[in-house]
Amino acid sequence: MGGTESGATRQEQERSRVTRQKLMSAAIEVLVEQGWAGATVGAIAERAGVSRGACQHHFPTRAALVAAAVEHVFHQQMEELSRRAKLLPPSRRRVEPLLNLLHDIYAGPLFTAATHLWVAAVADAELKTRLLPLQAHVGREVHRLTVELLGLEDRDPGVRDSVRATLDLLRGLALANLLQDDTARRRKVIAHWARIFEAQLHPD
Amino acid sequence: MGGTESGATRQEQERSRVTRQKLMSAAIEVLVEQGWAGATVGAIAERAGVSRGACQHHFPTRAALVAAAVEHVFHQQMEELSRRAKLLPPSRRRVEPLLNLLHDIYAGPLFTAATHLWVAAVADAELKTRLLPLQAHVGREVHRLTVELLGLEDRDPGVRDSVRATLDLLRGLALANLLQDDTARRRKVIAHWARIFEAQLHPD
């Protein structure tokens, strides 16, 4: 393979990557504004400035497109969480600051877009088929990362159940935060929960 | 006012009550199946077997109708919760059975319908204006009833924060339960949290 040909292939791959990213960002935006009913392939392609045909070339159905979008943005946010968690001051007691970082992620547009999808999938079998494996994957990843960032030992069943409960709590707090800034109440709940969790980790 | 006239008025009031109830039940059903975008006044009136005009006589806008429906079904379910909680065997340790009862309510069609509304209201100012006072009212009521059914003293800040966290946790568990039966995992999380909460209430 000559150098020029390879350069052209790289350019094509890069264009393709950029198009996919535009479509996935647009999918999240349109979902937040218009829900699943409004997030048609046409509306998402138009928002991305991409033709319908190009959209269908990259994602065969809109269920495939939105599921890919949620997964892509989720991974970006997990990387962002890792970066920010590494900037926390070193301390044995890091549950509360870490839960506040995690909540910032749960309280963003990804959560709003994903909630539209999850609730629409209750009555949409094709969408549900796409979302169930994604739910399992996202659940495992955020659990694994939380355990890692807290420096915990996941083989302890009590720790595992506390991490599970913590992530369920954060989802519930994010729902309460959808329509108004619930920060004051949330801070109290997270501080209370973190005290209980820390007492379980470091009984002294 | 004569007896006949009064009887006619009572009949009219009864008819009016039945029509309102049909419309509110239909609103929840249509929301679960079609989301906010599909839950038009026409679709809800048709499902209820009521004319559009009669629907508009009872509820001026669809935002008013769906908010009334959520509030009505919520109150029915709080009464049901009270009845079922009174059937629990008397015990000092009633957090876990009560949380399982509460979860049954969070896991039903009302939660699905309400989630459609809450997430749609992120981008719909009129709906948001209807839902914010409802969110505050529902939050206060379920908190008050939980405190009462657990026989707690709400003036204790630690107890108040634990009840808040419990209700946020249940909302998060209900989200995880939308697309698949999450009972086995949920039971573990509820049992784990109930042990922690009980230890806080009865340190011995």
Side-chain angles (χ1 to χ4, degrees), chain A residues 128 162 168 172 179 185 192, chain B residues 128 162 168 172 179 185 192:
Chain A
K128 190 169 166 174
S162 283
D168 286 309
L179 297 191
R185 194 189 74 88
H192 180 72
Chain B
K128 189 168 167 175
S162 282
D168 286 309
L179 297 191
R185 194 189 74 89
H192 179 72

Side-chain angles (χ1 to χ4, degrees), chain A:
Chain A
M1 201 162 29
T4 320
E5 224 178 286
S6 165
T9 307
R10 271 202 301 276
Q11 264 192 355
E12 271 167 41
Q13 282 172 348
E14 177 57 16
R15 260 203 305 272
S16 174
R17 198 186 60 78
V18 170
T19 303
R20 285 177 66 89
Q21 290 223 342
K22 277 187 193 165
L23 284 165
M24 292 189 288
S25 300
I28 300 293
E29 284 177 28
V30 176
L31 276 168
V32 169
E33 291 166 25
Q34 310 203 38
W36 172 240
T40 59
V41 170
I44 296 171
E46 191 185 337
R47 177 69 60 99
V50 166
S51 74
R52 265 184 83 101
C55 181
Q56 278 158 341
H57 168 72
H58 288 283
F59 302 100
T61 64
R62 66 181 186 128
L65 166 54
V66 294
V70 167
E71 187 169 357
H72 177 71
V73 177
F74 168 76
H75 282 293
Q76 283 182 323
Q77 297 207 327
M78 289 297 102
E79 282 168 27
E80 171 74 12
L81 174 65
S82 292
R83 269 195 300 275
R84 289 170 65 187
K86 277 166 197 147
L87 299 176
L88 290 176
S91 157
R92 214 166 139 238
R93 318 232 160 228
R94 53 197 277 126
V95 174
E96 186 177 349
L98 193 80
L99 296 196
N100 282 310
L101 286 186
L102 261 165
H103 183 270
D104 291 347
I105 285 177
Y106 274 90
L110 175 62
F111 180 79
T112 306
T115 304
H116 271 296
L117 292 179
W118 256 256
V119 78
V122 170
D124 184 320
E126 193 210 339
L127 186 58
K128 190 169 166 174
T129 305
R130 285 278 175 184
L131 296 186
L132 279 175
L134 180 58
Q135 176 169 329
H137 169 69
V138 160
R140 274 193 308 272
E141 280 303 296
V142 69
H143 186 103
R144 189 193 56 70
L145 187 60
T146 306
V147 166
E148 180 193 315
L149 294 175
L150 288 172
L152 300 178
E153 182 49 78
D154 195 36
R155 272 170 299 183
D156 178 332
V159 166
R160 198 163 53 226
D161 287 339
S162 283
V163 171
R164 282 176 175 160
T166 299
L167 297 174
D168 286 309
L169 172 73
L170 288 170
R171 258 197 314 271
L173 286 168
L175 261 187
N177 195 65
L178 270 180
L179 297 191
Q180 62 187 350
D181 182 0
D182 191 40
T183 306
R185 194 189 74 88
R186 180 180 69 248
R187 287 246 166 87
K188 274 189 208 159
V189 172
I190 286 183
H192 180 72
W193 185 272
R195 269 195 303 276
I196 292 170
F197 196 169
E198 296 278 8
Q200 191 197 354
L201 295 176
H202 317 289
D204 38 52

Side-chain angles (χ1 to χ4, degrees), chain B residues 69-88:
Chain B
V70 167
E71 187 169 359
H72 177 72
V73 177
F74 169 75
H75 283 293
Q76 283 182 323
Q77 297 207 327
M78 290 297 102
E79 282 169 27
E80 171 74 12
L81 174 66
S82 291
R83 270 195 301 275
R84 290 171 64 188
K86 277 166 196 147
L87 300 176
L88 291 176

Side-chain angles (χ1 to χ4, degrees), chain B residues 37 42 89 91 115 120 157 190:
Chain B
S91 157
T115 304
I190 285 182

Side-chain angles (χ1 to χ4, degrees), chain B residues 32-145:
Chain B
V32 169
E33 292 165 24
Q34 311 204 37
W36 172 241
T40 60
V41 171
I44 296 170
E46 192 186 335
R47 176 71 60 100
V50 166
S51 74
R52 267 183 80 102
C55 181
Q56 278 158 340
H57 168 72
H58 287 283
F59 301 100
T61 62
R62 67 180 185 130
L65 166 55
V66 294
V70 167
E71 187 169 359
H72 177 72
V73 177
F74 169 75
H75 283 293
Q76 283 182 323
Q77 297 207 327
M78 290 297 102
E79 282 169 27
E80 171 74 12
L81 174 66
S82 291
R83 270 195 301 275
R84 290 171 64 188
K86 277 166 196 147
L87 300 176
L88 291 176
S91 157
R92 216 167 139 237
R93 317 233 160 225
R94 52 197 277 127
V95 173
E96 186 178 350
L98 193 79
L99 296 197
N100 282 311
L101 285 185
L102 261 166
H103 183 271
D104 291 347
I105 286 178
Y106 273 91
L110 175 63
F111 180 80
T112 305
T115 304
H116 271 296
L117 292 178
W118 257 257
V119 78
V122 170
D124 185 319
E126 193 210 337
L127 186 57
K128 189 168 167 175
T129 305
R130 286 277 175 187
L131 296 187
L132 279 174
L134 180 57
Q135 175 168 329
H137 169 69
V138 160
R140 274 194 308 271
E141 280 303 296
V142 70
H143 185 105
R144 190 194 55 71
L145 187 60

